[in-house]
Amino acid sequence: MSEVRARAARHKGQLNFEQDVRSFLYAFGDDQDPLPETVRVLDEIITDFIIETCHQAARSATYSNRQKIKVDDFKYTIRNNDGMLGRVQELLSIDKELKEARKQLKDDMNEGKAHLERARPEGKGTGKRGRKPKNVPVFEEDDD
């Protein structure tokens, strides 16, 4: 963050992370209702950090002759902060594991549906819209 950018007029006075900042302050030992100035200053610091990080990642993408910013640009931007880089890599690996688990679950569900469709005799047991017909008891009349 070599240069400080002026906050855009549209962000002036707007708190983006107010509730999160309040929760973090309380979790770290501050009063349950922190001073509004404290929340405002921390919110501005967080917002400026995010904006600056995005600008640096965009600059990195530009140097690579790309229009779009990739995750690697953000990794390159925070490469000097070991704690932050480690946390990003951890979150990315967790995201990858979750995607694989969802894909596996989806494949298992599709396989189960295919198995059920093969087990059902064709043309029998289905009514309108593929539903089973309701069981209606058939009563026989007595010839008394």
Side-chain angles (χ1 to χ4, degrees):
M1 314 300 150
S2 59
E3 62 190 56
V4 178
R5 297 180 191 270
R7 271 180 86 101
R10 64 179 179 195
H11 296 296
K12 199 149 192 104
Q14 176 184 355
L15 299 178
N16 299 316
F17 306 103
E18 180 180 9
Q19 192 58 42
D20 296 324
V21 169
R22 288 180 182 277
S23 298
F24 280 128
L25 286 171
Y26 183 64
F28 284 102
D30 197 1
D31 191 45
Q32 190 167 1
D33 190 27
L35 293 173
E37 296 83 19
T38 306
V39 174
R40 182 184 54 77
V41 168
L42 284 174
D43 187 84
E44 285 182 15
I45 291 170
I46 292 168
T47 303
D48 290 342
F49 173 78
I50 291 171
I51 290 170
E52 282 300 314
T53 304
C54 291
H55 282 294
Q56 288 180 355
R59 195 176 309 128
S60 173
T62 303
Y63 288 149
S64 301
N65 292 325
R66 283 185 275 111
Q67 293 281 326
K68 293 184 179 180
I69 301 172
K70 294 185 176 182
V71 174
D72 291 337
D73 297 322
F74 283 101
K75 286 182 180 179
Y76 180 79
T77 300
I78 61 172
R79 70 189 181 279
N80 295 328
N81 188 336
D82 293 335
M84 194 181 307
L85 183 60
R87 179 69 174 147
V88 166
Q89 290 174 338
E90 179 185 1
L91 291 173
L92 288 172
S93 68
I94 290 171
D95 183 54
K96 185 178 178 181
E97 290 174 15
L98 287 173
K99 284 181 182 177
E100 290 173 2
R102 283 188 201 110
K103 184 177 183 267
Q104 183 67 35
L105 181 64
K106 184 178 178 183
D107 290 345
D108 290 348
M109 290 180 72
N110 287 339
E111 185 179 305
K113 286 181 183 178
H115 177 69
L116 288 175
E117 287 174 2
R118 279 185 258 129
R120 185 176 13 175
E122 195 172 318
K124 292 186 178 180
T126 58
K128 286 184 187 178
R129 302 182 193 145
R131 297 181 192 159
K132 285 187 173 182
K134 294 180 180 176
N135 279 340
V136 180
V138 178
F139 296 103
E140 295 181 14
E141 293 183 24
D142 291 334
D143 292 334
D144 289 336

